[in-house]
Amino acid sequence: MALGNQEASAAPPQRMSPPCVVLVSGGLDSATILAMAKAQGFSPFAISFDYGQRHRFELEAAKRVCEAQGVARHVIIPLDLRSIGGSALTANIDVPKDRTDAELTSGIPITYVPARNTVFLSIALGWAEVIGAQDLFVGVNAVDYSGYPDCRPEFVAAFEKLANLATQTGVEGQPWKIHAPLIHLTKAEIIRQGVALGVDYSLTHSCYDPTSTGLSCGHCDSCLIRKKGFLEAHVPDPTRYAD
Amino acid sequence: MALGNQEASAAPPQRMSPPCVVLVSGGLDSATILAMAKAQGFSPFAISFDYGQRHRFELEAAKRVCEAQGVARHVIIPLDLRSIGGSALTANIDVPKDRTDAELTSGIPITYVPARNTVFLSIALGWAEVIGAQDLFVGVNAVDYSGYPDCRPEFVAAFEKLANLATQTGVEGQPWKIHAPLIHLTKAEIIRQGVALGVDYSLTHSCYDPTSTGLSCGHCDSCLIRKKGFLEAHVPDPTRYAD
């Protein structure tokens, strides 16, 4: 019995990985932050949203990414943003194609979904509080998508502040941390970091306007930025394009 | 024809009421802010949430209230917060009954739904942006429900700040206004103001744990606070209680 105790105490102490919640869309960015969260020692809980998006196919990619990387749990929250509309992703508005670099980086595109990241982070925050996490990971990026207001550092900082006021956890003095590790990276830099962490980008999906079988259009903003990212990163692009 | 033109120009100019979005739960507070928004000259768009709440019956009350007061549109957004749980309102946790005044006003109750008001306001914000509103009305109240972190003035202020950073509207320099006109009122003061505005409280529902036919339990926190409010306001309580 004493020996047993000795053996037990000789074993390295079990260090529990702290839980975190990762917003996983199924795209390239969120696959990368999932790997980053794991590399930082977190046990990721993944959350995705079935929000009436035109490119609902991305949820299949989200499942594949979560399965490949291993997550504590993956929930897909149904939330009908089509009843609100107002975006090319959630209403009957055409997705812009073949925009120039200048067009891609100027103004807020019609694919902007009003308050989407605020909504997604809020629901993720609620879940994080329930599972006892203090950390959220979100793949927002201010470089390539500079047009989206809710992808900027000031948005992330304001959300973190709100979280500390909005929740029992925050009020009881355990501060929230909203991790946005991609916010200042280019798409090429993101891809290089992901490759270094072993991310399999062939599992991911970025296209806003895929075919019914999930092939990427190759011409929407998201496809153009993705293509350019792989090119600049000198990493073969594993995406299956329709043409 | 000239006469017709004269008549037309003699008519008072049509002043369009600006739209606003009002969070309507079906309870006493939100029925009151709906009337307040109208009294302030807004054209209210009402939003409710079918979030897996135990007291889903409140949505019937929300419909009645919106119909009685007249709203530009009423949307009910399905959002399954049961997949997150963590509250007596969204998980298999008993709703506390017959708590004392001291218990009611100390600590955060188990009926707290993690991040609920953040989630609801975020979705309302998205809708408001689509319909071109700049104003949101929310019936949060820091007096009777002092235990809920997301019912405090500092939460509302932080959300307003976030809204201005999170949205196209905010970024383009049209500031959001989050109206929380009940935040410093007691339940009795809310009722008196509502009665003055003609609110029919018999249409509203507050109980967290109603019977299957929609009778109020009379013993949950929400019933106790409501009862006390009518008593202190010297207004007959129109609520149908189970006992």
Side-chain angles (χ1 to χ4, degrees), chain A:
Chain A
M1 297 298 277
L3 183 65
N5 279 343
Q6 260 186 336
E7 276 180 350
S9 60
Q14 282 285 332
R15 291 189 59 189
M16 289 284 285
S17 300
C20 71
V21 170
V22 183
L23 276 75
V24 176
S25 68
L28 186 158
D29 295 334
S30 61
T32 310
I33 58 165
L34 185 54
M36 287 176 165
K38 288 186 71 177
Q40 287 180 37
F42 286 102
S43 169
F45 286 65
I47 189 166
S48 306
F49 297 91
D50 187 1
Y51 65 97
Q53 64 268 55
R54 174 191 288 267
H55 54 314
R56 188 166 182 275
F57 185 82
E58 68 177 3
L59 292 174
E60 296 307 312
K63 287 182 206 165
R64 290 195 300 256
V65 166
C66 289
E67 198 178 315
Q69 295 203 30
V71 295
R73 197 174 150 205
H74 180 207
V75 294
I76 298 179
I77 305 285
L79 167 66
D80 182 16
L81 291 184
R82 285 198 166 254
S83 55
I84 288 174
S87 163
L89 299 189
T90 55
N92 290 326
I93 301 172
D94 284 343
V95 170
K97 297 286 171 78
D98 296 319
R99 299 206 302 154
T100 63
D101 278 4
E103 286 169 335
L104 283 176
T105 52
S106 68
I108 297 176
I110 188 66
T111 48
Y112 162 67
V113 179
R116 183 178 57 182
N117 285 349
T118 315
V119 171
F120 290 178
L121 276 172
S122 300
I123 298 173
L125 179 69
W127 192 34
E129 184 159 36
V130 173
I131 63 172
Q134 296 289 127
D135 296 81
L136 301 184
F137 280 76
V138 58
V140 294
N141 176 257
V143 178
D144 286 314
Y145 285 95
S146 55
Y148 290 163
D150 50 1
C151 287
R152 299 171 306 146
E154 49 268 52
F155 165 76
V156 175
F159 191 89
E160 190 173 276
K161 197 167 177 185
L162 179 76
N164 286 328
L165 290 166
T167 56
Q168 177 161 14
T169 314
V171 166
E172 291 177 351
Q174 293 167 282
W176 288 96
K177 174 73 187 163
I178 313 297
H179 303 254
L182 312 184
I183 204 150
H184 295 300
L185 302 184
T186 65
K187 196 63 82 184
E189 287 167 339
I190 294 166
I191 291 168
R192 279 197 292 264
Q193 293 209 13
V195 167
L197 290 168
V199 174
D200 178 357
Y201 287 119
S202 75
L203 303 178
T204 68
H205 173 92
S206 301
C207 178
Y208 287 151
D209 196 21
T211 66
S212 58
T213 57
L215 297 178
S216 294
C217 77
H219 301 276
C220 67
D221 291 6
S222 192
C223 277
L224 294 179
I225 292 168
R226 181 177 167 114
K227 271 184 182 175
K228 188 163 164 272
F230 278 107
L231 206 66
E232 289 178 2
H234 304 293
V235 169
D237 184 350
T239 315
R240 293 183 307 131
Y241 293 104
D243 57 27

